[in-house]
Amino acid sequence: MEENIIVMHVRDRVPQGFTPVYVGRAMPGREGSVFGNPLVVRGKSWSAQARDWAEWLSGLEDAETSEAGRRAVACRGSLQGEAAALYRTVLREQVKAGGPQRRELLTLAARLRGGERLALQCWCYPRPCHAAVIREAVLGYAGRL
């Protein structure tokens, strides 16, 4: 099943037989996904949502995560790899809160279990990308269906 879900750059050609699934934030001319990473990379558009998530992360008990959250607040963004890694914690919280991310993960997992091949598209790839976190979550849910 793992070979049936890939991560790719949004501008790359989708391989034959795969269905594109955009997982990034809203951009000019492109509607955003419920999976858009609210944590931004330094130098990108810092928003109230990014600040709120970074502040929430900075209050967690895990020392590494809370330090990364404090750095994100202080620097108005995270390093590329940090933003992608911290998204795992954010996605877990969104799912736990019953947000639309949980429903969409279940939908994608069911599509994958049904034999559909999915290409998760984001602007970051091949740099560290939150789409890899989404891929892991979809595979995890698909394994439990």
Side-chain angles (χ1 to χ4, degrees), residues 57-135:
L57 289 164
S58 69
L60 295 179
E61 289 183 18
D62 177 71
E64 188 176 330
T65 301
S66 64
E67 178 57 30
R70 283 192 290 279
R71 276 194 308 275
V73 170
C75 299
R76 298 174 57 95
S78 301
L79 297 174
Q80 179 75 39
E82 276 186 339
L86 289 170
Y87 180 72
R88 177 173 282 104
T89 304
V90 170
L91 181 60
R92 282 186 185 135
E93 183 65 18
Q94 290 170 326
V95 167
K96 189 169 64 174
Q101 295 81 5
R102 183 177 189 282
R103 285 188 305 278
E104 188 62 19
L105 283 172
L106 288 169
T107 298
L108 292 175
R111 289 168 61 183
L112 189 63
R113 290 285 299 192
E116 189 171 354
R117 300 170 80 197
L118 305 172
L120 305 180
Q121 297 180 305
C122 191
W123 294 96
C124 306
Y125 189 82
R127 295 180 312 239
C129 181
H130 78 293
V133 173
I134 296 164
R135 179 183 181 275

Side-chain angles (χ1 to χ4, degrees), residues 25 40-41 43-47 50:
R25 289 189 288 272
V40 297
V41 174
K44 305 289 182 188
S45 57
W46 183 246
S47 65

